[in-house]
Amino acid sequence: MEIMGEQIPLALVTFAAVAFGSHFFRPKVNNETLDDVEEEVESLDDDLLNVLKKPLCEKDKMILDILSSKSSKTSWCLTDPDMLDNPIIYANSEFCSLTGYSKAEIQGRNCRFLQGKDTRMEDVKKISDAIKLKEDTNVCILNYKKDGTPFVNQFFICCLHSLGGEAAYYIGVQAEVQKHCNDSSLQDLNPGWVYTMGLKE
């Protein structure tokens, strides 16, 4: 599939469909043009642009373009491994809605603030190991909202790479699910997992 003059991998098209539904592929209506759709896909907000100091490879930049679309309803955040304790440098409004925290309360903190007394350490370790190895992973983990309400988070994390192939950022995608289980079939509930399907060369 070709978008904005670029040939887009099938996995990335699938990611778009899962991330914000059929709206991405909707037919033109009311004289809507392809330029309108392209502008929507490219709509990185000012807060995100202000924290992106390291140029990303094209495929990883496309992930941010898609997740930042006005039509995306996916909860996600971005962390910087070059800063002390790999803190969150950006969280979208869906992340705030899911967790109950404001952006001001989130920014600058490591994602572990979502953990609580019943969070399993083996799940935490899986995430930590993936970061150390600069690998993608998907884990079902018990997290807690600001008001103390526990929720089951089908969490996906992946490394975003610079133009030189180095680890630039980590992106975490959250999806609240009903069952705490690391059954691989649950990964379908989190759009982030599609990123592993051939997007990296």
Side-chain angles (χ1 to χ4, degrees):
M1 180 175 181
E2 188 171 296
I3 300 177
M4 295 174 281
E6 298 288 340
Q7 193 64 35
I8 305 302
L10 177 59
L12 185 52
V13 175
T14 307
F15 182 100
V18 177
F20 49 90
S22 59
H23 181 71
F24 183 73
F25 302 100
R26 69 192 185 285
K28 293 185 288 184
V29 294
N30 297 329
N31 297 318
E32 180 184 51
T33 67
L34 182 57
D35 288 340
D36 296 326
V37 178
E38 290 175 358
E39 180 180 354
E40 187 171 275
V41 172
E42 295 180 315
S43 56
L44 297 184
D45 67 39
D46 290 340
D47 288 344
L48 180 54
L49 288 173
N50 287 336
V51 300
L52 288 176
K53 306 300 183 183
K54 294 171 277 189
L56 296 174
C57 67
E58 190 60 32
K59 289 181 180 180
D60 289 350
K61 173 64 164 54
M62 185 66 73
I63 291 295
L64 290 183
D65 287 341
I66 291 175
L67 285 174
S68 299
S69 165
K70 297 173 184 177
S71 299
S72 175
K73 301 302 179 185
T74 303
S75 168
W76 63 280
C77 64
L78 192 70
T79 71
D80 189 339
D82 292 329
M83 298 175 66
L84 181 64
D85 205 26
N86 192 23
I88 296 173
I89 59 172
Y90 174 84
N92 72 345
S93 57
E94 284 73 21
F95 184 100
C96 297
S97 297
L98 174 63
T99 65
Y101 290 93
S102 68
K103 290 191 176 186
E105 293 173 309
I106 295 166
Q107 191 166 343
R109 302 176 70 180
N110 184 281
C111 292
R112 73 174 66 90
F113 73 89
L114 294 176
Q115 298 169 20
K117 63 183 182 67
D118 291 325
T119 302
R120 299 191 307 198
M121 287 302 100
E122 56 264 39
D123 295 335
V124 175
K125 186 177 185 301
K126 186 174 181 181
I127 296 171
S128 298
D129 288 347
I131 293 173
K132 290 177 183 177
L133 296 172
K134 302 176 183 179
E135 294 179 347
D136 303 345
T137 196
N138 200 317
V139 60
C140 194
I141 186 170
L142 183 67
N143 283 154
Y144 291 81
K145 301 184 180 185
K146 182 179 178 179
D147 64 3
T149 302
F151 71 101
V152 182
N153 182 7
Q154 187 63 33
F155 178 69
F156 176 79
I157 186 171
C158 73
C159 181
L160 300 184
H161 295 88
S162 67
L163 293 174
E166 299 175 341
Y169 304 104
Y170 284 92
I171 191 166
V173 183
Q174 301 79 30
E176 186 172 8
V177 296
Q178 298 302 312
K179 184 179 180 182
H180 192 176
C181 173
N182 278 313
D183 185 334
S184 60
S185 64
L186 282 178
Q187 69 181 10
D188 293 355
L189 299 175
N190 187 324
W193 76 272
V194 182
Y195 186 72
T196 65
M197 296 178 58
L199 286 181
K200 295 186 175 180
E201 298 176 346

